[in-house]
Amino acid sequence: MLKNSVFHMYSVPRNRIGEQLSQFEREHILTFAKEVDLEPKTLPTRFHQFSFIQMNSIFIELIDGYYPNIGRSIGIGAFLLSILMFIALAMNLGLYFIFPDTAGNHLVFNYFLKFISFSVLILIIYMCYKNIKAFKYYELSGYYYLPIRFNRKTKKIYFYLSNGEQVERSIGQIIFTISANKGFMDGKYYCISAFELNSNGNITSHYSIGQSSYHLSDVMQLWEFINVYWIYGPEPLMPANIKDNKALYDRKSHLVYCNDVINIEPKASDSWERIRLLHDRNPFFEILSLPFDILHFLGRRICLKYRKMPEWTNQIEDQNKVDAHDLYKVSAKDNYKINYFSVTKEDD
């Protein structure tokens, strides 16, 4: 299943079925601690990582690892193809300017230029061939998002799979860990992974939870956020409990942002904000990544037109039924406005 795709660089976990946990994953097994620092005073010990859809007294619902990156393959692909064509054109023009007397009059020289152009064309065709199946699978025929629910009442976790299947597991059946995957330009990105293993320790199922990050600390803090909910419930995470909206530890430690997944074709401004949140409101990275983000944005707008909206079965919805008067409901309609150095309630 799409094991050798360049899409792996863009936060799509490769197929791990039949493999065993890596050494890094065995060293970073995640568990639900009994004691958690509920009021960090300086640095954030937990971080929502812009990974939540909703929270209430019964369950929390998170996005899958690929949701923030929908459309990135089109943008990055267009960039890489442009680079290849630019290189081919530059080499051709460069040789003509360097050897003006030879260009056009020498048979070997002309064949050499044709060889360069043909080689670049073959490379472009090869890249398209290797990734067209992955592109159709992840970008055009997939679901808008693949939700994951942690239910405190039933002590179960629910996964929505890319083929539409819905999986219900008790927490004890799942191994949670942090996976390190190869990212763009040989960097590494980290994500929370959930595995099911057989008696031999081989992976039988693999799920990706929440937004990935190039910073290991972000992913560990996301797990701490989930951990606080699982142990103490939603009260410590409520955005209304923020004491200092300019303090990094306070605005990361409370659920000030939920992904708006109500409309499969959100407003252009919402799509742009979702992409920019990949940089966690870091002005340096926002400036540096602007050209790539523009391409990502265009690709995301295209891909969202072809995706399907996931719907939980009635049975799962019954197990996750929430009281209409639940005081701890948090969703996208409760989002705060996220600035570089503070958060404020949007209706303030």
Side-chain angles (χ1 to χ4, degrees), residues 288-321:
L288 192 65
S289 65
L290 182 60
F292 300 97
D293 286 349
I294 292 174
L295 292 172
H296 184 182
F297 168 77
L298 296 175
R300 189 177 185 89
R301 298 299 294 174
I302 293 171
C303 291
L304 289 180
K305 294 181 180 295
Y306 298 94
R307 301 179 78 85
K308 300 169 287 188
M309 184 69 78
E311 294 183 7
W312 293 105
T313 63
N314 291 334
Q315 179 183 355
I316 290 180
E317 288 288 21
D318 288 341
Q319 294 181 37
N320 291 271
K321 193 171 183 179

Side-chain angles (χ1 to χ4, degrees), residues 148-331:
I148 303 102
R149 286 184 176 179
F150 287 79
N151 188 307
R152 294 183 75 242
K153 183 178 180 180
T154 63
K155 302 299 180 184
K156 291 183 177 181
I157 183 170
Y158 304 85
F159 299 100
Y160 204 109
L161 307 188
S162 57
N163 61 2
E165 181 183 354
Q166 298 170 39
V167 175
E168 173 187 333
R169 296 287 185 267
S170 65
I171 288 295
Q173 293 177 274
I174 301 294
I175 302 296
F176 298 97
T177 185
I178 296 177
S179 296
N181 301 288
K182 185 177 180 181
F184 191 56
M185 297 296 291
D186 292 330
K188 284 186 177 180
Y189 69 88
Y190 304 92
C191 64
I192 296 177
S193 291
F195 295 103
E196 292 183 77
L197 309 178
N198 62 18
S199 57
N200 296 320
N202 295 327
I203 297 170
T204 59
S205 298
H206 175 203
Y207 315 100
S208 175
I209 301 175
Q211 181 170 303
S212 59
S213 175
Y214 281 92
H215 303 287
L216 177 59
S217 60
D218 286 347
V219 179
M220 295 178 68
Q221 289 168 14
L222 172 58
W223 179 256
E224 185 76 347
F225 203 98
I226 297 171
N227 189 26
V228 167
Y229 175 84
W230 192 256
I231 302 301
Y232 297 99
E235 170 63 27
L237 308 174
M238 294 296 290
N241 293 334
I242 290 180
K243 297 177 181 177
D244 183 356
N245 70 338
K246 293 184 179 180
L248 183 65
Y249 64 85
D250 225 358
R251 53 193 168 96
K252 285 192 171 186
S253 299
H254 298 84
L255 192 54
V256 297
Y257 179 87
C258 288
N259 290 274
D260 188 353
V261 294
I262 300 300
N263 299 310
I264 198 166
E265 291 189 40
K267 294 186 296 184
S269 58
D270 293 336
S271 294
W272 179 249
E273 180 186 35
R274 177 59 263 189
I275 291 171
R276 301 299 267 176
L277 286 175
L278 288 168
H279 314 299
D280 186 21
R281 282 295 187 261
N282 184 311
F284 174 75
F285 286 111
E286 284 194 1
I287 295 172
L288 192 65
S289 65
L290 182 60
F292 300 97
D293 286 349
I294 292 174
L295 292 172
H296 184 182
F297 168 77
L298 296 175
R300 189 177 185 89
R301 298 299 294 174
I302 293 171
C303 291
L304 289 180
K305 294 181 180 295
Y306 298 94
R307 301 179 78 85
K308 300 169 287 188
M309 184 69 78
E311 294 183 7
W312 293 105
T313 63
N314 291 334
Q315 179 183 355
I316 290 180
E317 288 288 21
D318 288 341
Q319 294 181 37
N320 291 271
K321 193 171 183 179
V322 181
D323 191 300
H325 303 291
D326 189 343
L327 298 178
Y328 298 102
K329 283 184 179 180
V330 180
S331 63

Side-chain angles (χ1 to χ4, degrees), residues 81-117:
L81 293 179
S82 299
I83 290 294
L84 288 174
M85 289 188 287
F86 174 79
I87 291 173
L89 180 62
M91 290 185 69
N92 276 270
L93 292 177
L95 290 172
Y96 269 102
F97 281 111
I98 294 172
F99 306 104
D101 297 332
T102 307
N105 299 316
H106 198 289
L107 186 63
V108 175
F109 186 86
N110 289 333
Y111 276 121
F112 179 67
L113 292 181
K114 291 178 181 179
F115 172 76
I116 293 175
S117 301

